[in-house]
């Protein structure tokens, strides 16, 4: 698990560090790491460092000096605000770095091997300074690699929005810990691969975190020689309707391919036949279960009658789709709600854009209101845990999972894990992460049931990795795709 840090905590840690280590210059440490990464990205060629008026620009200027000294290559600086970090400017001038104006930048840009973005960092407000819009567009058109220092300029550290104008990065090097913009979509799509550099800051535990592959490997309920189908967990599934027959098949597919010990399907008989045709290991009819999955594709007719007896069973429930409309005030302990943004808006009596503007806050609000875990689905999936007062981001996958039926499969995976006895926050975080990793193995328009069929491969791979102390390359969807 990696903690996502807000700007005030980073600044406080920086102050504490400075008081305890008056002789250490954090900016130089940051600049050294920027220069090192730049060298790795482009071993030769001219580098243009674009700097703003703040300390982010200071990092850029000291990195420029280091690049000239170590690499003896041409490095140029464009101070976009006219002024820049005074000591940084002196340091850059001392090694003969050339400072450019807008016209010169426009002329020289096609020959630049790498742009280092030091316009704004954690002090940045959303939106790029206007005089840089053309530059961001040219970098994109000319496909010039961009290394962002701390935060790609145009993004705000704690905001998941991606504004119209942003200097999109190929890679971002951030310090001490990731910020929300690095991990939450759509902002994350402007960060490229994100590297977290240790500059010596000590940070407190964060209540906003992101799953890592090692967490999935550690928490997965791996079967042991003592396991049988009952101890692995029996999951009851009541989903689908004549109008939505696929919503019976897809959750069951998710549950089977994520390793449910046994599945009891209690939806309409005609749909049971459909399921058995594809997945003959599923049993039909009621019996003892450890958890229920309800709601996918119920449509409105008869929904309440289906829900009533299942609610009374008292076992933990995964409550998806249509069942979210009939929530009682108190839910069985250990239950999990799995709304998308529209469903969460309906639950809270607000508009969808209000949820999309503040997904962390709204998922948490619903979790507190129903005293239960909420998995908010979308390009970034948020798991709100009201018991430990925190929100976890699942591992992200490719956007191909944005298709009808993905949520049904995800609900099935959640059901497997609840039935296996996992607490709902862990079950939700594992399920969403594993589905994303499966989708990364099938990065194309594969239907959701085919993506589900890739889950066993992901689990085999994770089981091998589970013995290893460190997993390198976490954090970004691209690194997952590389597995
Ligand atoms: N905290 C650390 O761990 C370390 C951080 N370092 C670097 O310092 C920056 C943060 O520097 P700061 O001076 O506080 O802010 P910025 O440089 O990000 O920007 C401030 C500057 O920019 C103007 N501005 C902000 N947004 C916009 C905008 N949208 N349009 C125009 N102008 C904007 C603002 O008004 C200010 O003038 C951090 O990210 C690190 O890179 C250290 O060097 C190492 C330790």
């Amino acid at each position: 698990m990696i903690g996502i840090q807000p700007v005030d905590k980073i600044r406080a840690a920086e102050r504490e560090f400075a008081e305890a280590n008056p002789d250490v210059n954090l900016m130089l440490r940051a600049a050294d790491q920027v220069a090192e990464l730049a060298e790795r990205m482009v071993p030769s060629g001219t580098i243009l460092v674009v700097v703003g008026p703040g300390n982010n620009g200071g990092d850029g200027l000291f990195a420029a000096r280091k690049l000239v000294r170590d690499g003896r290559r041409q490095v140029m600086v464009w101070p976009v605000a006219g002024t820049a970090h005074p000591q940084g400017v002196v340091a850059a001038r001392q090694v003969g770095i050339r400072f450019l104006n807008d016209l010169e930048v426009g002329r020289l840009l096609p020959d630049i091997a790498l742009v280092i973005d030091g316009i704004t960092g954690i002090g940045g407000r959303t939106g790029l300074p206007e005089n840089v819009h053309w530059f961001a567009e040219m970098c994109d058109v000319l496909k010039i690699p961009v290394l962002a220092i701390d935060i790609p300029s145009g993004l705000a550290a704690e905001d998941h929005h991606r504004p119209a104008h942003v200097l999109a990065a190929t890679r971002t090097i951030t310090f001490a810990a990731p910020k929300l913009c690095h991990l939450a979509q759509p902002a994350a799509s402007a960060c490229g691969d994100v590297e977290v550099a240790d500059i010596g800051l000590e940070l407190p535990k964060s209540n906003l975190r992101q799953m890592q592959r090692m967490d999935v490997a550690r928490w997965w309920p791996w079967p042991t020689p003592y396991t049988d189908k009952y101890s692995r967990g029996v999951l009851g599934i009541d989903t689908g309707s004549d109008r939505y027959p696929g919503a019976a098949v897809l959750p069951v597919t998710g549950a089977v391919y994520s390793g449910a010990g046994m599945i009891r399907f209690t939806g309409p008989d005609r749909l049971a036949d459909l399921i058995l045709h594809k997945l003959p290991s599923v049993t039909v009819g009621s019996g003892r279960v450890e958890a229920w999955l309800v709601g996918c594709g119920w449509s409105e007719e008869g929904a309440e009658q289906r829900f009533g007896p299942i609610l009374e069973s008292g076992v933990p429930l995964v409550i998806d789709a249509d069942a979210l409309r009939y929530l009682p005030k108190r839910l069985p302990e250990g239950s999990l709600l799995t709304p998308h943004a529209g469903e969460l808006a309906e639950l809270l009596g607000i508009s969808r854009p209000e949820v999309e503007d503040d997904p962390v806050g709204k998922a948490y609000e619903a979790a507190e209101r129903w005293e239960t875990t909420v998995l908010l689905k979308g390009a970034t999936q948020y798991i709100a845990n009201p018991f430990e007062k925190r929100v976890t981001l699942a591992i992200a996958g490719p956007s191909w999972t944005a298709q009808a039926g993905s949520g049904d499969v995800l609900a099935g995976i959640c059901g497997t894990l609840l039935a296996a006895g996992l607490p709902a926050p862990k079950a939700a975080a594992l399920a969403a992460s594993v589905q994303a990793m499966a989708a990364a193995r099938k990065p194309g328009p594969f239907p959701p049931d085919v993506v589900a069929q890739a889950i066993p491969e992901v689990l085999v791979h994770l089981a091998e990795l589970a013995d290893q102390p460190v997993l390198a390359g976490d954090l970004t969807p691209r690194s997952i795709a590389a597995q």
Side-chain angles (χ1 to χ4, degrees):
M1 200 66 78
I2 187 160
I4 300 168
Q5 293 287 347
V7 171
D8 60 344
K9 293 282 186 317
I10 298 275
R11 293 209 192 273
E14 200 183 345
R15 279 194 300 274
E16 269 169 37
F17 183 94
E19 277 162 28
N21 306 277
D23 302 329
V24 181
N25 185 334
L26 273 183
M27 187 175 278
L28 291 184
R29 281 195 181 177
D32 282 356
Q33 304 235 27
V34 172
E36 239 168 70
L37 179 52
E39 286 285 7
R40 270 190 274 142
M41 285 177 76
V42 290
S44 61
T46 303
I47 294 180
L48 173 65
V49 186
V50 188
V51 301
N55 289 334
N56 194 244
D59 294 350
L61 288 160
F62 282 105
R65 180 181 69 163
K66 185 165 172 55
L67 281 162
V68 168
R69 280 186 169 169
D70 293 0
R72 305 191 189 288
R73 60 155 124 206
Q74 200 177 12
V75 179
M76 298 185 284
V77 165
W78 178 29
V80 296
T83 59
H85 190 274
Q87 294 94 321
V89 170
V90 171
R93 288 207 188 277
Q94 271 170 355
V95 291
I97 287 174
R98 182 175 159 199
F99 281 62
L100 305 178
N101 62 34
D102 307 21
L103 282 177
E104 290 167 321
V105 169
R107 193 162 42 79
L108 296 170
L109 194 55
D111 297 321
I112 296 296
L114 177 74
V115 165
I116 297 182
D117 166 16
I119 304 174
T120 52
I122 54 173
R125 301 181 299 274
T126 302
L128 205 54
E130 242 173 63
N131 66 325
V132 190
H133 290 185
W134 68 270
F135 177 77
E137 278 160 32
M138 286 305 289
C139 288
D140 185 34
V141 170
L142 296 171
K143 305 235 169 308
I144 299 173
V146 176
L147 166 58
I149 305 177
D150 213 1
I151 311 283
S153 300
L155 299 183
E158 292 174 34
D159 191 346
H160 67 286
H161 292 95
R162 178 178 171 149
H165 296 284
V166 59
L167 184 47
T170 317
R171 293 178 83 153
T172 296
I173 179 164
T174 190
F175 308 118
K179 318 328 180 257
L180 185 67
C181 71
H182 297 129
L183 302 171
Q185 296 293 7
S189 68
C191 297
D193 284 337
V194 180
E195 191 163 305
V196 182
D198 181 4
I199 54 170
L201 297 183
E202 297 271 342
L203 288 157
K205 237 179 158 185
S206 174
N207 56 8
L208 185 62
R209 321 160 328 148
Q210 198 208 29
M211 288 285 284
Q212 302 290 288
R213 284 178 297 159
M214 186 50 108
D215 304 310
V216 184
R218 278 208 198 104
W219 294 351
W220 195 265
W222 302 109
T224 72
Y226 305 101
T227 308
D228 62 33
K229 64 186 175 193
Y230 297 111
S231 61
R232 260 170 78 174
V234 183
L235 173 65
I237 298 187
D238 186 338
T239 56
S241 60
D242 281 344
R243 187 153 177 229
Y244 300 111
V249 181
L250 290 165
V252 175
T253 309
V256 167
Y257 281 93
S258 55
M262 181 173 173
I263 293 167
R264 298 188 195 276
F265 181 76
T266 62
D269 289 346
R270 184 176 82 81
L271 304 185
D273 291 342
L274 268 183
I275 290 169
L276 287 173
H277 185 68
K278 259 195 99 184
L279 299 159
S281 60
V282 174
T283 67
V284 175
S286 52
R288 189 179 67 87
V289 299
E290 272 76 43
W292 275 103
L293 161 58
V294 294
C296 317
W298 269 0
S299 72
E300 275 172 31
E301 210 173 306
E304 261 181 303
Q305 290 87 319
R306 285 169 85 166
F307 204 0
I310 290 175
L311 271 171
E312 277 168 24
S313 72
V315 300
L317 314 181
V318 179
I319 304 175
D320 191 51
D322 297 306
L324 292 166
R325 298 215 175 95
Y326 305 98
L327 290 187
K329 281 219 171 79
R330 275 196 73 77
L331 290 164
E333 202 176 318
S335 291
L336 167 64
L337 310 182
T338 54
H340 56 57
E343 288 162 344
L344 183 61
E346 209 176 303
L347 273 178
L348 293 173
I350 57 177
S351 69
R352 187 181 179 124
E354 282 174 278
V355 171
E356 286 165 345
D357 254 8
D358 180 19
V360 172
K362 297 306 178 208
Y364 194 76
E365 189 180 327
E368 275 203 316
R369 194 179 296 180
W370 274 277
E371 292 176 46
T372 206
T373 307
V374 172
L375 162 53
L376 172 58
K377 296 179 291 191
T380 302
Q381 318 223 65
Y382 300 89
I383 297 98
N385 173 348
F387 316 107
E388 278 144 309
K389 299 193 186 311
R390 62 188 176 212
V391 174
T392 300
L393 277 63
I395 290 175
S399 302
W400 289 109
T401 45
Q403 60 179 328
S406 279
D408 296 341
V409 168
L410 174 57
I413 310 169
C414 291
T416 291
L417 295 167
L418 271 198
L422 262 64
K426 264 191 184 165
L430 283 178
S433 298
V434 146
Q435 187 186 32
M437 293 166 86
R441 285 188 167 248
K442 299 243 167 242
F446 291 96
D449 50 328
V450 175
V451 172
Q453 288 165 22
I455 295 172
E457 285 169 42
V458 171
L459 292 179
V460 168
H461 188 70
L462 282 171
E464 283 164 16
L465 291 174
D467 292 335
Q468 296 178 18
V470 177
L471 293 180
D474 265 338
L475 270 184
T476 63
R478 250 183 269 174
S479 60
I480 298 161
Q483 280 177 45

